[in-house]
Amino acid sequence: MRVLLTGAAGFIGSRIAVALRSAGHEVVAVDTMLPAAHGPAAEPPPQCHLVDIRDRDALKPLLEGVDVVCHQAAVVGAGVDAADAPSYAGHNDFGTAVLLAEMYAARCTRLVLASSMVVYGQGGYDCPEHGPVDPAARTRADLDAGVFEHRCPIGGERLRWHLVVEDAPLRPRSLYAASKAAQEHFALAWVESGAGSVVALRYHNVYGPNMPRDTPYSGVAAIFRSQLESGQRPRVFEDGGQMRDFVHVDDVAAANLAAVGAGLDGFNAFNVCSGRPVSIMEVATRLCEARGAGEPVVTGQYRSGDVRHIVASPEHAAQALGFRAAIDPRDGLAEFAFAPLRQPSHT
Ligand code: UD1
């Protein structure tokens, strides 16, 4: 198939390009080489068009004869402050809207969309007394006292996490999350209008070689990895019991390959995760062990707005896409301890 791949020069997009080409697909690669991701004045890699997807005229000829669009281009991270809002809305939402309109004009009817677990917001929780509940927001008093678990909004009991499934409500809590939820909504509206079909892949915590180095937009794996490289021990916030699902970038590429080949009708969303949740303490410990670097430091600090636990079920993707992650995060993180990172983006 002929696949238009946006964000093809990025950490995830570049691995998808390799996976698609290895499987025999023809890849039309585009990237706008955002300075925040690639550094100032970075050139696109060979075989990659320098295109901002908001530029209709540039997009139009590239969509000719394309069977599927695999849309990875996005401003990522959580957003530093409110000044980032136009950037998220512009690149992620207006960009997706232009892409969908141009796909419609070109009669290209299939989209694979990079979404994120951040669309769920808090994750899923059970109360030992009241069953599944929406957690009450964590109070400053609890956090300052080292009580990091959410409490039941009915009786105040401490909650336990459960795996999130795809029909959980979307409750975005950051600029990035808002932009990802809006992308899904634009894509769903496009499907409802009869324009085509969409597979939205909700990535969990992606890690792997060539992950961008520690920046204000980096996830925790890159931060720990950078700390270790500069001789510091990883600094674990809260009590380290926060649960996440770390999925290797090559598994994310495999999920995209499966979605491109699946030919599903309508709008379908899938968790893309390893199915093997780990705590942040385990992540730090695994990286320290691999580098022979002693123990992580548990600081007890917390960041306002952080999610306590977010872990998901991989079953729907296994059943409908035939995708199961191959790399156990415990093995993948040990390898990641020495993997190359992309150079700092702000220098
Ligand atoms: C992160 C991203 C999110 C992205 C998602 C999936 C950020 C801020 N969030 O969400 O946008 O969609 O991954 O890839 O980039 N922590 C430490 N020490 C540190 C930094 C963080 O212990 O130095 C802890 C945090 O308190 C948190 C956990 O690690 O509990 C995960 O943090 P992080 O990777 O930043 O955010 P996620 O919520 O997982």
Side-chain angles (χ1 to χ4, degrees), residues 67-289:
D67 302 296
V68 187
V69 172
C70 185
H71 181 28
Q72 308 295 317
V75 177
V76 299
V80 174
D81 57 35
D84 281 337
S87 172
Y88 283 99
H91 286 285
N92 298 1
D93 298 329
F94 181 60
T96 298
V98 171
L99 181 63
L100 290 169
E102 289 307 315
M103 286 176 69
Y104 176 63
R107 295 191 165 73
C108 175
T109 59
R110 292 186 53 212
L111 175 71
V112 174
L113 173 68
S115 185
S116 168
M117 55 79 159
V118 291
V119 297
Y120 297 124
Q122 297 279 11
Y125 296 86
D126 293 313
C127 172
E129 289 298 316
H130 304 99
V133 286
D134 266 345
R138 297 190 291 173
T139 64
R140 219 181 170 114
D142 271 354
L143 291 165
D144 285 339
V147 177
F148 297 114
E149 298 300 343
H150 280 285
R151 290 186 188 272
C152 176
I154 305 165
E157 296 86 351
R158 289 193 198 175
L159 302 181
R160 292 192 286 253
W161 57 268
H162 66 233
L163 297 180
V164 176
V165 290
E166 285 82 352
D167 58 6
L170 303 194
R171 301 248 169 86
R173 301 170 70 239
S174 69
L175 293 173
Y176 174 60
S179 76
K180 283 283 148 187
Q183 274 188 320
E184 285 202 18
H185 290 149
F186 278 111
L188 175 61
W190 186 77
V191 171
E192 292 290 326
S193 75
S197 64
V198 173
V199 176
L201 299 176
R202 294 177 181 158
Y203 303 162
H204 283 254
N205 294 65
V206 185
Y207 70 97
N210 298 319
M211 198 172 179
R213 212 170 270 274
D214 185 2
T215 74
Y217 302 89
S218 296
V220 70
I223 294 173
F224 287 169
R225 171 72 179 71
S226 302
Q227 286 168 336
L228 281 164
E229 199 169 69
S230 57
Q232 298 165 308
R233 291 188 290 160
R235 296 175 61 78
V236 174
F237 299 158
E238 305 187 13
D239 56 0
Q242 308 94 297
M243 298 300 290
R244 293 291 188 277
D245 189 311
F246 283 80
V247 59
H248 192 278
V249 67
D250 285 346
D251 279 324
V252 174
N256 276 273
L257 190 59
V260 163
L264 299 176
D265 289 331
F267 180 93
N268 293 275
F270 299 102
N271 291 321
V272 173
C273 56
S274 73
R276 301 162 180 109
V278 291
S279 70
I280 296 301
M281 187 61 187
E282 280 177 273
V283 172
T285 304
R286 199 76 188 150
L287 291 170
C288 285
E289 280 171 1

